Amino acid sequence: QKEVEQNSGPLSVPEGAIASLNCTYSDRVSQSFFWYRQYSGKSPELIMSIYSNGDKEDGRFTAQLNKASQYVSLLIRDSQPSDSATYLCAVIAYGSGNTGKLIFGQGTTLQVKP
Amino acid sequence: DGGITQSPKYLFRKEGQNVTLSCEQNLNHDAMYWYRQDPGQGLRLIYYSQIVNDFQKGDIAEGYSVSREKKESFPLTVTSAQKNPTAFYLCASRGPVRGAWGEQYFGPGTRLTVT
């Protein structure tokens, strides 16, 4: 079983809709969770981090964490064509100590249709 | 203007040659990381360094070497021993630690092609 799993997509949503991206992880005691956005040919850009169960909102983005079910999700409200990108989920597993070693999923490609 | 720089943006080399990728940061971050990304895949950790003059192997260190002589710089050498060196190489540094774990920020990357 992969340590961090994402549906590769593509996930296609119309402009203005809510895009929902999901990520599951295998390490039950993982502590820190991150969402990165990566445009084609570019490097990943950190858009959200979440450490506690529940929701965290930042503008049009909401990260949701459920440690009991071992999933983290990213909601994008009022999706825009400029949100079309690959979204990478990353996790720091318990036992990494202070190394900050991230484990990445393969990413979900989002397409927002005008 | 704080950030992470990587050079060059594109690099072409012949098989059998060693090549060094540059990574510099002026964010005053202690920890730095090198990742490799292949088409359609996630990022895989090559090496990381938490402090000057110290570094550890990541998940795919074979065929690579690094140094960390200055806090700002973490160059990666891709040696001729690396079997499939063609990839997108990403350098990252870790920001202020919140609790025990901080956020990583990436440079623009170097796309290496070996023929």
Side-chain angles (χ1 to χ4, degrees):
Chain A
Q1 182 187 3
K2 292 181 183 175
E3 295 181 81
V4 179
E5 291 203 55
Q6 297 180 255
N7 188 322
S8 61
L11 172 66
S12 184
V13 301
E15 184 174 355
I18 295 176
S20 178
L21 304 159
N22 299 313
C23 172
T24 58
Y25 57 93
S26 59
D27 187 337
R28 181 170 294 278
V29 291
S30 291
Q31 299 291 319
S32 307
F33 307 86
F34 307 90
W35 283 100
Y36 288 84
R37 177 177 62 198
Q38 186 174 25
Y39 292 113
S40 181
K42 303 295 186 183
S43 64
E45 173 193 7
L46 180 66
I47 54 173
M48 290 289 282
S49 58
I50 187 165
Y51 303 92
S52 306
N53 274 329
D55 294 0
K56 178 182 177 183
E57 188 174 315
D58 184 1
R60 295 187 296 112
F61 298 102
T62 299
Q64 298 176 318
L65 175 60
N66 184 323
K67 290 186 178 181
S69 299
Q70 294 176 239
Y71 82 78
V72 56
S73 62
L74 179 71
L75 301 179
I76 306 175
R77 290 181 300 281
D78 188 24
S79 294
Q80 301 296 310
S82 60
D83 294 325
S84 298
T86 296
Y87 290 81
L88 300 170
C89 173
V91 174
I92 295 180
Y94 180 81
S96 294
N98 201 30
T99 66
K101 287 173 63 177
L102 287 175
I103 303 169
F104 283 86
Q106 291 193 319
T108 298
T109 299
L110 172 66
Q111 296 174 346
V112 181
K113 307 278 190 188
Chain B
D1 201 14
I4 304 170
T5 57
Q6 291 186 245
S7 61
K9 187 173 181 180
Y10 297 98
L11 190 54
F12 298 89
R13 279 294 182 268
K14 295 287 188 187
E15 200 172 301
Q17 294 179 335
N18 291 356
V19 59
T20 297
L21 282 56
S22 168
C23 177
E24 305 275 333
Q25 54 99 1
N26 61 4
L27 301 168
N28 200 33
H29 288 172
D30 286 316
M32 297 185 73
Y33 306 81
W34 273 105
Y35 294 89
R36 165 186 176 137
Q37 187 175 37
D38 294 283
Q41 296 194 30
L43 280 66
R44 293 183 290 169
L45 182 65
I46 304 172
Y47 266 98
Y48 64 101
S49 168
Q50 294 180 264
I51 198 168
V52 175
N53 293 323
D54 187 46
F55 48 83
Q56 285 79 38
K57 293 181 179 179
D59 301 318
I60 55 164
E62 185 175 348
Y64 299 99
S65 65
V66 293
S67 62
R68 187 83 188 278
E69 297 176 2
K70 298 187 300 180
K71 186 175 185 177
E72 302 79 17
S73 179
F74 191 40
L76 173 75
T77 297
V78 184
T79 75
S80 57
Q82 168 48 233
K83 302 249 187 291
N84 297 295
T86 295
F88 189 34
Y89 289 88
L90 291 155
C91 178
S93 67
R94 182 156 60 106
V97 174
R98 184 184 333 189
W101 304 279
E103 300 164 343
Q104 286 187 29
Y105 300 92
F106 285 86
T110 292
R111 202 167 293 277
L112 173 64
T113 302
V114 177
T115 57

